[in-house]
Structure formats: C-alpha cells, structure tokens
Amino acid sequence: MTRILYPEQLEQAAAILQSGGVVAFPTETVYGLGADGINPVAVQKIYRAKNRPASDPLILHLERPLDFAAVADLRGREALLERLAPLMPGALTLVLPKLPHIPLEVTAGGSSVAVRVPAHPLAQALIAAVGVPLAAPSANLFSRPSPTSAQMVLEDLDGRIDAVLDGGSCPIGLESTVLSLLGAPTLLRPGGVVLEQIEACIGEVLLPYETLSEQHIQPAPGMLLKHYSPRAQMLLVSTPKLLLEVGARYQEQRLGLLLPSQSLEHVKHLRAERFDLGADDLSIAMRLFAGLRALDALGCTHILAHKFTNRGLGRALNDRLYRAASGKVIG
Ligand code: TXA
Ligand code: MG
C-alpha cells in the first residue's frame, strides 16, 4: 500500500524515511523517489521499486550547498563552486569525488557522487526534517517518462513504495542539468538550468554527450539512449516542415501529436489525438512528460513530435525527445 501524504503531513514522510523506507517527493524539476542516502539497505529499495539497473548511480539531495562538503571532496574546486553559487539551490546537479562514507549503492560502485540542492520548499523542508542527504532518482519505473505530479508517480509505483508526498505539479518539468566537475567542467545531461547560464558563470563547458549520443555510445553511467520512453512509438522529425508529410503516412494508425500550439496549427487536417504543449519553452518543458503519458493513456500507437532549436531549454527538450525516440530522427 502506498500512502498519499499532503504537505501538512511532512513529519510522517520524514519518519518513514528515517526508518529506512522510500517516499516520493516533489522537487522543482520532477518527483524524486527518496531514501536515506547514507543507509545502503534503504538505497537498495529505490533500485527495486524502479526496476533500475544497479549500474545507474543516484543523486544525493542536500539542504544547502554548504552541505556538499559533508559528502564530497571539494578540494581544488572551491573557486568553481563559488562561481556556480548563483545557480544553487536549483536544477543543477554536480558530480564530485565522493567521501568514503557514501555507500557504493548510491554511486553504483564508482568513486564520484552526484549532488543537488533542490529549490522546491517542500523538498528542502523534507531534507531538513529527515536530517540526512536523500538519495533520489526520478520517481518513475526504469525507462519511463519522469513524473511531474503525484498522480504520475502512482501510475508507475503504486504499491511499490511506502508513500508519495503530494506537492502538486513540478514547475520546471524536466530533470536537473548534470555537470561533472571531476575534470574540466563537462555537461553530462542538459536540464532545467541551461548551458548558457552555466557558461555565464564558469566559461566554456565540454559537451561530450551531444557528439556521443549521435554515435549511439553511452556517455555517462545511466545515460542510456532508450529512456523517457512512452509505450507508443515516437516519430521525431527534425523540423516542423516534415510534420504533415510524416503524419500523413500514419493516418491508418492511432496517431498522437505532441506539439507546441503554433505547430498544431500546421497539422489541423491530420486525424490524430492532440496534446498542446503550449507556446513557449517554459510551458513546453513543464508539459512534455505529461504529454507523453497522456497520449499513451489514449492508446496512441505512434506519437509525432519535432525537434526544437538547440538553445536554452530547447537543448534539454531535444535530448529527452531524442531518447524517447531511441535515437531515431526522421529527416
Ligand atoms: O532533477 C533531477 O535530477 C531529478 C530530481 C528528483 O532531483 N532526479 C533525477 O535522477 O533525474 P535520475 O536518477 O533519474 O538521473 C540522475 C542522472 C543519471 O543520468 C545518472 O547517470 C547521473 O545523474 N549521475 C548520477 N550520479 C552520477 C555520477 N556519479 N557520475 C555521473 N553521472 C551520475
Ligand atoms: Mg530518471
């Protein structure tokens, strides 16, 4: 039985976590599936609940950036962290050398640890109430789209976790940006804090994932190509110009359109289910995963979407769509 808890029941959520249970909670990016990040037995429950492969490391969620020093070795990186300070708390995850007491279950056996300070007030209050770092991946079954509401968490994990803390919808709707500081700053996953913001703080960032993903190589542990997948087959076109032509080929199928308002205008005559992502990048990001799940729920066999301009949040949108399409782009 999975309990649904509301913000006024935060102490109950904290007590479950303190006794080694797993609780899903809202962050500004997506819902996380939390467990005591210092307790290996609790952390193992996360992997079991999600069907997540043990090779995929977790992010530790902390109350304040100052707390990074309690889990990671910051020596030699103080100046860099200082310059990144304006972006934290927020949708930025840093990969740093781990300290010895961090369980290998969190880091998937590796010597580095990912850390983040979420900006969501409920997430911060929960971490403070538990009093330990919370290990938390996105609260979905492995390879499914991340959940941006408590309802979406329950779709995947009802009966598999102790509780979900319902804090409404996540305002960003895409996962955090993962930046490795092990060597020269390197982007491992584009996300809610955009590359341009990071580069404004620390200068040029390396982008191995973009060239690597084109070659179907796994750039970082857990960055599998097939990810964020709906059940339907994704048809990802490189530009809105191709929507009509590709959509027309699937008129005998149950087609879903996952598109911004302005693009839906161009495909008025297609027979399809429609999910309007809204008009601007903020709205598109917030609604993307909900749209994938909604079109699945309508029984669509194919979902048609297009790529975005590779700047700002567009970079993360493209990454998630590309993975949902298992790396196939039409045109
Ligand atoms: O916004 C988010 O980041 C959400 C919320 C809940 O905080 N969490 C999230 O966790 O998306 P997850 O587990 O779904 O994705 C974490 C990513 C994975 O791609 C993983 O490979 C990477 O972070 N990661 C974690 N630890 C790492 C490490 N030590 N080295 C390299 N990558 C790491
Ligand atoms: Mg995930």
Side-chain angles (χ1 to χ4, degrees), residues 251 253-257 267 269-274 295 300:
Q251 287 296 273
Q253 310 286 336
R254 186 114 197 215
L255 182 65
L257 301 173
V267 286
H269 302 300
L270 285 181
R271 192 157 52 83
E273 302 287 352
R274 291 170 160 73
L295 291 171
C300 292

Side-chain angles (χ1 to χ4, degrees), residues 157-187:
L157 299 179
D158 194 11
R160 303 176 68 94
I161 61 176
D162 295 305
V164 54
L165 181 60
D166 187 347
S169 313
C170 302
I172 295 179
L174 293 177
E175 302 86 344
S176 64
T177 304
V178 181
L179 181 71
S180 170
L181 299 183
L182 295 177
T186 302
L187 190 67

Side-chain angles (χ1 to χ4, degrees), residues 94-158:
L94 302 177
V95 175
L96 295 160
K98 84 176 192 82
L99 291 183
H101 69 285
I102 302 304
L104 292 170
E105 283 78 0
V106 170
T107 65
S111 56
S112 63
V113 64
V115 293
R116 172 163 108 83
V117 178
H120 196 294
L122 211 49
Q124 286 189 356
L126 184 65
I127 299 164
V130 180
V132 295
L134 292 182
S138 50
N140 49 281
L141 282 174
F142 179 65
S143 97
R144 295 271 301 144
S146 295
T148 55
S149 69
Q151 194 47 50
M152 287 189 230
V153 172
L154 291 171
E155 269 170 39
D156 278 15
L157 299 179
D158 194 11

